[in-house]
Amino acid sequence: MFPESFTQLARQNKPERPEKTQEELRSALEKNLFSLKPTIEEEAKKYKEALESDVFEDKEGEPEGSGEKRKEEIQNRINSIIDRASAIKERLDSKEPLPQSSPEISATYTRPDKKKETITLDIEAKLEEFTDFYNKTKLDLPRDFEETIKDIWEKNQTEIQESIEQNGFDDLLVVPGNISLQDLAEKMKMGKGYYFYQAKEDFSDVKSQNVDKPRIILYHHAETLPEISKNTGLDIHLNITGKDAIKLYKANPNNYLSTLEDALILERKYFEDTKKHLSDWNKKSAQWLPGSRAGTRLVYSYWNPDDDKLGVNAIDLEGRIDYLGVRPSRSFF
């Protein structure tokens, strides 16, 4: 890791990005406001249909109040979206100059079934969430971690919004750079630890690309790869060879979860949030990691519920397995 003085010097010499005009900022904010309209309409439609079909009534065998709970959940979703829209309109109506960047991005995603949903990501909330997560797992963070992540967010806001609109990414990771894989694996350990196949048990032969850089990674919070495909129409490329995975990676290196480091963080963070494992091989959710190699072999990972372990495997590039695919994502450095 670079000494702090070097990092500070690099930051001081970093070329400034051209500022957006107030007209450009206002136009982007108006786009965010209009993006919320179809979601409000869709949720209102669901609420009306639920009222007409007695969804909010307790069904036989349900605990008392179950129907009312469903009603409150829909109402809370609608109110949350309306609150965001009101806050944006208040900023637009204000005479105060708009800031160059916003901690929050809202975008409308149209699913393959034509249903629309508004996805909102807030970098300040996520930084607080991940700082707590890394503190809990005792992972040491660089001193400038928060500032660096905010800088990545600021300079990539347009691309982040487009990625959400096009691919339906509904969650993100914030990942520090220059973390030892051995240390990271120990801090992210779950269950009974790890299972290894043709990879050294101290991780010393695994080499990954771009893990020296802090990064924001957009991903889908769906539990399985087939679920991602169903919800988004994106190809998860099940049963491809390692060679095929590398071709995909070289063509679009930032469009797939690509390293063991990122997979370890995602797996542990998802478990912290849901108490589930998103790379369960039984659910066809093992993932090639085309940015990580063990010698000449390509690394892939998966959760094995039978052994309560995370598999860290490396096989020859011609290898293929029907439950093994790639996880769509979008990385920003």
Side-chain angles (χ1 to χ4, degrees):
M1 197 175 298
F2 291 124
E4 186 177 1
S5 58
F6 185 94
T7 303
Q8 291 173 340
L9 180 62
R11 192 181 304 127
Q12 291 170 359
N13 294 333
K14 183 173 58 179
E16 293 186 3
R17 293 184 297 278
E19 290 193 350
K20 297 177 183 177
T21 66
Q22 284 296 307
E23 183 178 349
E24 290 172 329
L25 293 169
R26 186 167 294 275
S27 176
L29 197 57
E30 287 174 345
K31 183 179 179 182
N32 274 351
L33 178 60
F34 293 142
S35 75
L36 297 174
K37 182 180 178 182
T39 302
I40 294 174
E41 292 174 344
E42 180 69 25
E43 291 293 338
K45 181 181 176 183
K46 289 180 183 177
Y47 185 76
K48 181 180 178 182
E49 291 173 349
L51 281 173
E52 294 172 349
S53 58
D54 297 328
V55 170
F56 300 144
E57 299 295 328
D58 291 348
K59 295 180 173 57
E60 186 176 350
E62 284 187 329
E64 184 178 350
S66 296
E68 184 64 25
K69 184 177 180 180
R70 286 191 289 271
K71 183 178 182 180
E72 289 177 358
E73 287 174 351
I74 295 181
Q75 288 175 335
N76 289 339
R77 284 202 303 270
I78 294 173
N79 289 336
S80 177
I81 300 168
I82 291 174
D83 287 346
R84 289 202 300 270
S86 298
I88 293 174
K89 189 174 187 306
E90 186 176 334
R91 274 186 281 167
L92 285 169
D93 292 342
S94 171
K95 301 300 182 182
E96 295 293 326
L98 295 174
Q100 284 295 308
S101 65
S102 170
E104 184 179 281
I105 291 177
S106 288
T108 297
Y109 174 64
T110 304
R111 295 172 52 153
D113 59 8
K114 305 305 179 185
K115 290 184 179 179
K116 297 180 182 292
E117 60 179 302
T118 297
I119 297 169
T120 301
L121 298 176
D122 185 323
I123 194 60
E124 289 186 353
K126 282 295 176 182
L127 272 169
E128 182 177 350
E129 178 184 319
F130 270 86
T131 299
D132 290 344
F133 168 67
Y134 289 134
N135 285 338
K136 178 179 179 179
T137 56
K138 298 182 172 19
L139 188 74
D140 293 330
L141 293 173
R143 292 184 181 181
D144 62 347
F145 176 63
E146 183 174 328
E147 180 182 347
T148 303
I149 292 298
K150 285 183 177 179
D151 189 58
I152 296 170
W153 177 266
E154 180 180 340
K155 73 180 182 182
N156 292 289
Q157 283 199 324
T158 299
E159 290 79 7
I160 290 172
Q161 179 151 355
E162 289 175 352
S163 294
I164 296 171
E165 290 172 348
Q166 294 168 7
N167 298 305
F169 296 119
D170 57 1
D171 210 340
L172 63 82
L173 304 176
V174 289
V175 182
N178 282 322
I179 303 296
S180 157
L181 176 55
Q182 289 88 344
D183 182 46
L184 182 66
E186 181 62 30
K187 302 294 174 57
M188 296 296 119
K189 186 185 294 184
M190 297 170 291
K192 295 180 180 178
Y194 301 97
Y195 165 83
F196 298 88
Y197 177 72
Q198 295 195 123
K200 292 183 179 179
E201 295 189 10
D202 63 356
F203 298 90
S204 61
D205 60 339
V206 176
K207 307 299 178 187
S208 301
Q209 299 181 32
N210 293 323
V211 291
D212 59 320
K213 306 171 185 177
R215 49 214 181 267
I216 293 174
I217 303 175
L218 301 178
Y219 73 98
H220 301 98
H221 205 263
E223 182 182 351
T224 69
L225 290 181
E227 189 179 353
I228 292 173
S229 182
K230 179 182 177 181
N231 291 345
T232 66
L234 294 174
D235 194 344
I236 55 173
H237 300 281
L238 289 175
N239 202 32
I240 63 170
T241 66
K243 185 179 292 185
D244 292 331
I246 289 175
K247 286 181 182 178
L248 291 170
Y249 177 62
K250 287 183 176 180
N252 294 288
N254 295 329
N255 286 10
Y256 305 98
L257 190 76
S258 59
T259 69
L260 180 58
E261 285 84 346
D262 294 341
L264 293 176
I265 292 173
L266 176 56
E267 190 77 38
R268 175 65 185 270
K269 182 62 169 61
Y270 189 84
F271 181 75
E272 290 291 320
D273 293 342
T274 67
K275 304 306 176 189
K276 298 178 180 178
H277 295 282
L278 84 174
S279 66
D280 189 331
W281 74 271
N282 286 314
K283 299 177 181 178
K284 295 194 172 182
S285 291
Q287 54 208 358
W288 282 115
L289 300 169
S292 292
R293 297 225 191 178
T296 60
R297 296 182 294 275
L298 197 61
V299 174
Y300 71 91
S301 70
Y302 62 93
W303 182 259
N304 187 340
D306 301 325
D307 294 334
D308 196 28
K309 291 181 179 181
L310 186 73
V312 178
N313 290 11
I315 59 175
D316 294 335
L317 301 187
E318 298 302 328
R320 71 167 80 225
I321 307 173
D322 64 357
Y323 57 74
L324 176 58
V326 295
R327 183 171 297 278
S329 68
R330 181 68 168 86
S331 299
F332 299 89
F333 300 93

